Amino acid sequence: MATLKYSRQRESIKEFLMTRKDHPTADVVYENMKKIYPNISLGTVYRNLSLLSEIGEIQKLSNFGSADHFDGCVEPHCHFMCTTCGDVLDLETEGMDDLIEKAGRNFSGKITACDIRFFGTCPKCMNK
Amino acid sequence: MATLKYSRQRESIKEFLMTRKDHPTADVVYENMKKIYPNISLGTVYRNLSLLSEIGEIQKLSNFGSADHFDGCVEPHCHFMCTTCGDVLDLETEGMDDLIEKAGRNFSGKITACDIRFFGTCPKCMNK
DNA sequence: GTTTTTGCAAACCTTTTGCAATGGA
DNA sequence: TCCATTGCAAAAGGTTTGCAAAAAC
């Protein structure tokens, strides 16, 4: 991999994601970056989101809906998507650590990762 | 919803999915349908795959790679994707039925569904 | 005869890429 | 200076859609 050079844009994207508790899409990141860098391009946003998730500084959540979502928190945790409003939220993970081991019992391949996602109605939409 | 009318194409698509143990993408379904209906269009395949998954006769797996996969089996079960060859396989689910209940303990919304996906190396790719 | 489904092609949405110019080390 | 990063625009990949013709009921 090539040497990494500093870029203001990348720094801002990472910072933005870390201060958001939701999990915005590339487009939302782009719209927010335009407030700081009016000429920033969507391509730059995508390139940096890929780069950041490759080096493990952010997490890419693929296919909650049609567009990818990005999470500034890289600690392993589950996600929940509200089927009413489309929001993606974090969820407690306790008691799910042995899933990979359990799943491997009847499988002759090797399982290295696991992704759990929940769906339903979020607290906000429950009160409507 | 409008009344459903019979269509040979839809019937064949469903049958094809039920006899496959892997989980083909729309494109693979399309290529195979062309053997039976040389003039069938991709649009028809997509329309029927959507329709069938809406009425619960097949399952759409939206989370593996860039294209959706389709599963002729609608019983709840987990999936595994090989990060080497890209194949999607079924996996035993025992001991995972209480996940939704567990996840709901610390959550004030309502969880109705859960999707568990595993990643790793499949048996075929282990022997290479 | 009415309504659904089809084939075709164009549109759509999200993401990636080529390229010359800019900027960091 | 050298090479990574940027902005721009075009392309790519997967999926959806509008429309007139064909098929189902």
Side-chain angles (χ1 to χ4, degrees):
Chain A
M1 198 190 291
T3 321
L4 209 60
K5 278 182 183 168
Y6 173 86
S7 114
R8 271 170 293 165
Q9 290 89 334
R10 189 189 308 133
E11 227 37 46
S12 296
I13 289 172
K14 189 184 161 189
E15 198 186 315
F16 173 71
L17 280 181
M18 305 244 289
T19 59
R20 290 277 287 221
K21 43 190 180 306
D22 66 344
H23 308 80
T25 58
D27 202 63
V28 171
V29 175
Y30 174 55
E31 289 306 323
N32 278 273
M33 286 305 104
K34 277 206 285 196
K35 295 174 190 167
I36 311 177
Y37 312 100
N39 296 321
I40 197 172
S41 77
L42 234 197
T44 296
V45 171
Y46 272 105
R47 268 185 292 235
N48 280 309
L49 287 172
S50 296
L51 205 161
L52 286 168
S53 78
E54 264 170 42
I55 63 179
E57 305 217 344
I58 66 172
Q59 209 183 336
K60 180 179 179 177
L61 312 177
S62 287
N63 288 325
F64 273 112
S66 50
D68 290 344
H69 292 247
F70 295 88
D71 190 343
C73 172
V74 293
E75 305 301 313
H77 59 283
C78 299
H79 291 100
F80 166 91
M81 184 185 217
C82 177
T83 51
T84 302
C85 70
D87 276 5
V88 177
L89 310 172
D90 291 326
L91 223 55
E92 289 300 320
T93 66
E94 55 183 75
M96 303 182 186
D97 315 308
D98 55 349
L99 264 187
I100 290 182
E101 189 269 314
K102 268 185 188 163
R105 282 182 203 157
N106 304 305
F107 185 62
S108 60
K110 188 181 182 188
I111 299 178
T112 55
C114 169
D115 184 9
I116 311 174
R117 53 192 67 206
F118 296 91
F119 300 88
T121 312
C122 75
K124 213 168 36 175
C125 289
M126 294 279 285
N127 304 319
K128 278 181 191 164
Chain B
M1 200 188 292
T3 319
L4 210 60
K5 278 183 184 167
Y6 172 87
S7 114
R8 270 169 293 165
Q9 290 90 332
R10 190 189 307 135
E11 231 28 53
S12 297
I13 288 171
K14 190 184 162 190
E15 198 186 315
F16 172 72
L17 280 180
M18 306 242 291
T19 59
R20 289 276 287 221
K21 42 190 181 304
D22 65 345
H23 308 80
T25 59
D27 201 63
V28 171
V29 174
Y30 174 55
E31 289 306 323
N32 278 274
M33 286 306 104
K34 276 207 287 198
K35 295 175 189 166
I36 311 176
Y37 313 100
N39 296 321
I40 197 172
S41 77
L42 234 197
T44 296
V45 171
Y46 272 104
R47 268 185 290 235
N48 279 309
L49 288 171
S50 296
L51 205 162
L52 287 168
S53 79
E54 264 170 41
I55 62 178
E57 305 216 345
I58 66 171
Q59 210 184 334
K60 179 179 179 178
L61 310 177
S62 298
N63 317 306
F64 297 102
S66 48
D68 292 344
H69 292 247
F70 295 87
D71 190 343
C73 171
V74 293
E75 304 302 312
H77 59 284
C78 299
H79 292 100
F80 167 90
M81 183 185 218
C82 178
T83 50
T84 302
C85 69
D87 275 6
V88 177
L89 310 171
D90 290 327
L91 225 55
E92 289 300 321
T93 67
E94 56 182 73
M96 304 182 184
D97 316 307
D98 55 348
L99 264 187
I100 289 181
E101 190 269 313
K102 269 185 186 165
R105 281 182 204 157
N106 303 304
F107 186 62
S108 59
K110 188 180 182 188
I111 299 179
T112 55
C114 170
D115 182 12
I116 312 176
R117 314 182 283 139
F118 296 92
F119 299 87
T121 313
C122 76
K124 214 170 34 175
C125 289
M126 294 280 284
N127 304 320
K128 280 180 189 166

